[in-house]
Amino acid sequence: MDERLRKPRIDDVARRAGVSTATVSRALATPDQVKPKTRAAVEKAVLETGYVLNVAARNLRTNRTHAVLAVVPDVANIFFSQVLRGISDTLHQHGYRLVIADTGNDPERERDHAEFAQAGWVDGLLLLNGRLLPTPAGGRRRLAVPTVSLCERIPGSDIPYVETANREAARAMTERLLQLGHRRIGYVSGPPNNILEHDRFAGYRDALAARGLAPDPALVRPGDYTLATGEAAASAYLALAELPDAVFASNDAMAMGLIRGFTAAGLSVPEAISIAGFDDIEFAGAYNPALTTMHQARSEIGARATTMLIDLIEGRQPASREVHLPAEIVMRDSTRER
Amino acid sequence: MDERLRKPRIDDVARRAGVSTATVSRALATPDQVKPKTRAAVEKAVLETGYVLNVAARNLRTNRTHAVLAVVPDVANIFFSQVLRGISDTLHQHGYRLVIADTGNDPERERDHAEFAQAGWVDGLLLLNGRLLPTPAGGRRRLAVPTVSLCERIPGSDIPYVETANREAARAMTERLLQLGHRRIGYVSGPPNNILEHDRFAGYRDALAARGLAPDPALVRPGDYTLATGEAAASAYLALAELPDAVFASNDAMAMGLIRGFTAAGLSVPEAISIAGFDDIEFAGAYNPALTTMHQARSEIGARATTMLIDLIEGRQPASREVHLPAEIVMRDSTRER
DNA sequence: TTTCGATTTGTAATCGATTACATTTTTTTC
DNA sequence: GAAAAAAATGTAATCGATTACAAATCGAAA
């Protein structure tokens, strides 16, 4: 192959600059270990040859990649994508790159990716989903790669995590609805077996219990975080002899479903019934009416978890291994005083 | 270091199985080049040692990574995240992994990532943003890594691309509004200098021109794809002596802004004015009223571009280097006959 | 049984950087 | 100006796989 077409290597640069490969490597990676004059010569040679470092070779030698893998159930999910934003920014600040694995909620793909991560493909692992427990086939080897879990803690494991204080948040929202004078407060839940959901429902009951109210089973409707189940819940409430005063949905999509369901039936929100959501997704404020909801600091969750992970990767003790971030009530137009 | 703690290498497996490293490599990568009995012995040894292949070493040797880099202006943008879904799925089907670089709309970060891609960090490059023109510093070296551009073609370059047929789509939507009996049709544009926007506006004018109508400059409002500019446009229209019959916004967020702006002023949509958007983002159907819009097959855009890229990577001639996907009108509740 | 071709396996070079250690050069100190 | 210390550079081993080529084994045909 023609010399001019072949991809230049470090020794091509070295020859051109009249130094050794070691010096080139140092001039590029640790410039102040090299005399300014030599450095300049190397830089010139790099430009002239069009040299680009070979990442694979460096990774092999240093046993580091400066990349982090985020395992996500669904990149297209607006909730996760905002967390990714926080992750991406923080990684960039520290000189790391982001690799994303979208598992499409397929446990097999999850496992595959987590396993590949052990192969030195990345320096660290961020799990955006509690379900993933990457025990390698043999089951005896410990997780080799530093790992942090986000959004959902992983029960029964000691993997450090960052999450919203779901229980406290749900309790606060329910209390706020009580303060507004509502008493018959409905709840639309997320999928069962979901840790997150479990916490939120507990918060809902906490608030009621604090007022000496027992949760009315007829007012608690099952959902799965989709708009459709919100609409279904609305129909179910409409079939009741007495409508609830307010409904707290465990996420925003279901809250929007409730609003659509009720307005389709001729009830106006918040005049006839108050609706609150959870998450404060991007369109919550744009909705019609604008949604009252719990704001989760999604990009901060990502940022905190990433900082923690980088600490682990670089051998520092992270400040804390379990972080619960507070959520904030955002009052908008879908709730009103009774 | 203790033998049991050290990460096992391919020669540990070879020794244990009583074969050479070459055989282990073949048993793992090309199993049918190896006698079933030997293969079984190797598999057993792999399990016993807990061997995991070192990705960096393989990448270095084979000069392949089986990974593709997607450069995205903003992962948190709901539009891109759905395209990523299509990309991710298609890659997975072909045994590739996805690396995502979120540039946060920062041209410097864009350049940095594109350059790193040339370092053998990935096998191919997907650009989700026309702005990126990765000319390396020297400027003389051609793009080494196979590249495909999505959503926006890159003017003045021969990089293959996949995009929605924006001009035809905008024309079709405008025609539909005309069919509904509207004559004073407003248009809220995207940012200037945006190729995509340029095409859509051209389509709007095409449709009017076909009916012998000149576009009324007072009805064309500038926007930047955000909800806020949609609301601002609504105020501007309200200040007019005569309201438009319908407004076509160049994306859904602005259409929602228009709806909020008009309903806040006491006008109801679609009774008083029809509103149409573009993109059919996830919440378009959930909006109140549900939004009439152009559906872009976002995940298909991702899938097609990815197939094209894999063809390029694997040395096949892609079926076509320029793909324009049709968009479909989705009639919902924000438009009505006049 | 012998021979030839096909299949399976082994030996060792190779990918392209980094870095421990050795050596040379430069600077400091007296 | 010489000796000692510090800084800069060079030599060559190394990271852990893949694979060209050579050697061994196997099966079928004569």
Side-chain angles (χ1 to χ4, degrees):
Chain A
M1 191 189 277
D2 183 1
E3 172 79 10
R4 316 200 122 279
L5 286 179
R6 214 200 59 223
K7 215 170 179 190
R9 293 178 315 225
I10 196 170
D11 51 304
D12 297 319
V13 179
R15 206 170 314 117
R16 181 134 198 158
V19 297
S20 75
T21 61
T23 301
V24 175
S25 179
R26 284 188 280 251
L28 265 30
T30 50
D32 30 46
Q33 273 184 38
V34 142
K35 255 204 290 199
K37 200 169 164 182
T38 327
R39 195 190 314 157
V42 169
E43 278 160 4
K44 182 157 163 283
V46 166
L47 248 43
E48 287 170 354
T49 53
Y51 170 71
V52 188
L53 175 136
N54 181 311
V55 181
R58 171 201 277 176
N59 289 353
L60 173 58
R61 183 57 230 251
T62 60
N63 202 25
R64 288 289 308 278
T65 63
H66 288 275
V68 161
L69 174 66
V71 182
V72 192
D74 180 8
V75 262
N77 182 317
I78 192 166
F79 183 88
F80 292 120
S81 52
Q82 198 128 112
V83 176
L84 285 175
R85 187 14 118 54
I87 293 175
S88 170
D89 284 348
T90 311
L91 285 177
H92 180 252
Q93 280 163 30
H94 291 81
Y96 286 79
R97 285 162 204 280
L98 176 60
V99 177
I100 295 183
D102 182 342
T103 64
N105 274 304
D106 173 355
E108 199 207 329
R109 271 213 238 175
E110 285 183 7
R111 191 164 301 270
D112 170 51
H113 277 112
E115 212 156 309
F116 204 58
Q118 314 294 318
W121 160 239
V122 290
D123 295 338
L125 202 50
L126 290 170
L127 306 180
L128 299 227
N129 184 330
R131 204 147 27 94
L132 181 75
L133 261 181
T135 25
R140 346 173 228 76
R141 182 165 294 276
R142 284 215 49 69
L143 215 52
V145 171
T147 302
V148 172
S149 151
L150 296 78
C151 305
E152 287 179 37
R153 66 181 181 279
I154 302 185
S157 95
D158 56 353
I159 296 181
Y161 64 88
V162 177
E163 63 173 16
T164 293
N166 284 293
R167 185 167 184 165
E168 292 73 10
R171 177 182 175 144
M173 179 58 91
T174 312
E175 268 167 5
R176 173 60 71 88
L177 291 173
L178 287 163
Q179 278 168 23
L180 288 177
H182 303 297
R183 284 300 169 270
R184 290 173 53 76
I185 300 178
Y187 180 87
V188 186
S189 76
N193 308 327
N194 183 298
I195 282 276
L196 213 125
E197 168 52 31
H198 185 266
D199 290 349
R200 292 186 190 166
F201 186 52
Y204 163 75
R205 282 178 315 187
D206 288 349
L208 294 183
R211 294 255 186 161
L213 298 171
D216 178 349
L219 296 186
V220 176
R221 308 295 317 174
D224 63 2
Y225 290 150
T226 62
L227 190 101
T229 54
E231 286 192 277
S235 310
Y237 288 127
L238 287 165
L240 253 43
E242 193 187 351
L243 222 56
D245 305 332
V247 181
F248 176 24
S250 179
N251 83 342
D252 285 345
M254 295 193 299
M256 294 179 184
L258 283 167
I259 293 178
R260 295 199 73 191
F262 285 128
T263 45
L267 289 178
S268 84
V269 176
E271 286 74 14
I273 186 167
S274 286
I275 306 288
F278 202 115
D279 284 351
D280 194 20
I281 59 173
E282 205 183 347
F283 283 96
Y287 205 65
N288 211 358
L291 200 63
T292 291
T293 186
M294 285 307 294
H295 178 79
Q296 288 203 66
R298 291 188 292 280
S299 63
E300 204 196 329
I301 294 180
R304 291 287 289 270
T306 306
T307 310
M308 203 185 259
L309 182 66
I310 293 176
D311 279 346
L312 288 170
I313 291 175
E314 299 181 350
R316 290 185 297 273
Q317 198 58 239
S320 156
R321 294 175 58 89
E322 304 186 351
V323 176
H324 297 260
L325 293 177
E328 243 174 49
I329 295 181
V330 185
M331 294 303 288
R332 287 198 275 244
D333 310 333
S334 65
T335 47
R336 64 127 102 178
E337 211 159 342
R338 183 153 190 271
Chain B
M1 190 189 275
D2 182 1
E3 171 78 12
R4 317 200 123 278
L5 286 178
R6 214 200 60 223
K7 213 168 181 193
R9 292 180 316 226
I10 196 169
D11 52 303
D12 296 320
V13 178
R15 206 169 315 117
R16 181 132 198 160
V19 298
S20 72
T21 60
T23 302
V24 174
S25 179
R26 286 188 278 249
L28 265 31
T30 48
D32 29 46
Q33 273 183 39
V34 143
K35 253 204 291 198
K37 201 171 164 181
T38 327
R39 196 191 312 158
V42 169
E43 278 161 4
K44 182 157 162 284
V46 166
L47 246 43
E48 286 170 356
T49 53
Y51 169 71
V52 189
L53 176 135
N54 181 311
V55 180
R58 169 200 280 177
N59 289 352
L60 173 58
R61 185 56 230 252
T62 60
N63 200 25
R64 288 290 307 278
T65 64
H66 288 277
V68 161
L69 174 65
V71 182
V72 191
D74 180 9
V75 262
N77 182 317
I78 192 167
F79 183 88
F80 292 121
S81 51
Q82 195 125 119
V83 177
L84 285 175
R85 187 14 119 53
I87 294 175
S88 170
D89 283 348
T90 310
L91 284 177
H92 178 76
Q93 281 164 29
H94 291 81
Y96 285 78
R97 285 162 205 279
L98 176 61
V99 176
I100 295 182
D102 182 342
T103 64
N105 275 306
D106 173 355
E108 199 206 331
R109 271 214 238 175
E110 284 183 6
R111 192 165 300 271
D112 170 51
H113 277 112
E115 213 156 310
F116 204 59
Q118 315 294 318
W121 160 238
V122 290
D123 295 339
L125 202 51
L126 289 170
L127 306 179
L128 298 227
N129 184 331
R131 203 147 26 97
L132 180 74
L133 262 181
T135 26
R140 352 176 223 73
R141 184 165 294 274
R142 284 214 50 68
L143 214 52
V145 171
T147 303
V148 172
S149 151
L150 296 79
C151 305
E152 287 180 37
R153 66 180 181 279
I154 302 185
S157 96
D158 56 354
I159 296 180
Y161 64 87
V162 177
E163 64 173 16
T164 292
N166 283 294
R167 184 165 186 166
E168 292 72 10
R171 174 178 178 151
M173 178 60 91
T174 312
E175 268 167 6
R176 174 60 71 89
L177 292 172
L178 286 163
Q179 277 168 24
L180 288 176
H182 303 299
R183 284 299 169 272
R184 289 173 53 75
I185 300 178
Y187 180 86
V188 185
S189 76
N193 308 329
N194 183 299
I195 282 275
L196 215 127
E197 168 52 32
H198 185 266
D199 290 350
R200 291 185 191 167
F201 187 51
Y204 164 73
R205 281 180 315 188
D206 288 349
L208 293 183
R211 292 256 188 160
L213 297 171
D216 179 349
L219 296 186
V220 176
R221 309 295 316 172
D224 63 1
Y225 290 150
T226 62
L227 191 101
T229 54
E231 286 190 278
S235 309
Y237 287 128
L238 287 165
L240 255 42
E242 192 187 353
L243 220 57
D245 306 332
V247 182
F248 175 25
S250 179
N251 83 340
D252 285 345
M254 297 193 298
M256 293 179 185
L258 283 167
I259 293 177
R260 294 200 72 192
F262 286 128
T263 45
L267 289 177
S268 84
V269 175
E271 286 74 15
I273 187 167
S274 286
I275 306 286
F278 202 114
D279 283 352
D280 194 21
I281 61 173
E282 205 184 346
F283 283 96
Y287 205 65
N288 209 356
L291 200 63
T292 290
T293 186
M294 284 308 294
H295 178 79
Q296 288 202 64
R298 291 189 291 281
S299 64
E300 202 196 330
I301 294 180
R304 291 288 289 270
T306 306
T307 309
M308 204 187 259
L309 182 67
I310 293 176
D311 279 345
L312 289 171
I313 291 174
E314 299 181 350
R316 290 185 297 274
Q317 197 59 238
S320 156
R321 295 176 59 89
E322 305 185 353
V323 176
H324 297 260
L325 292 177
E328 243 175 48
I329 295 182
V330 185
M331 294 303 286
R332 287 198 274 245
D333 309 331
S334 65
T335 47
R336 65 127 103 179
E337 212 159 340
R338 183 153 192 273

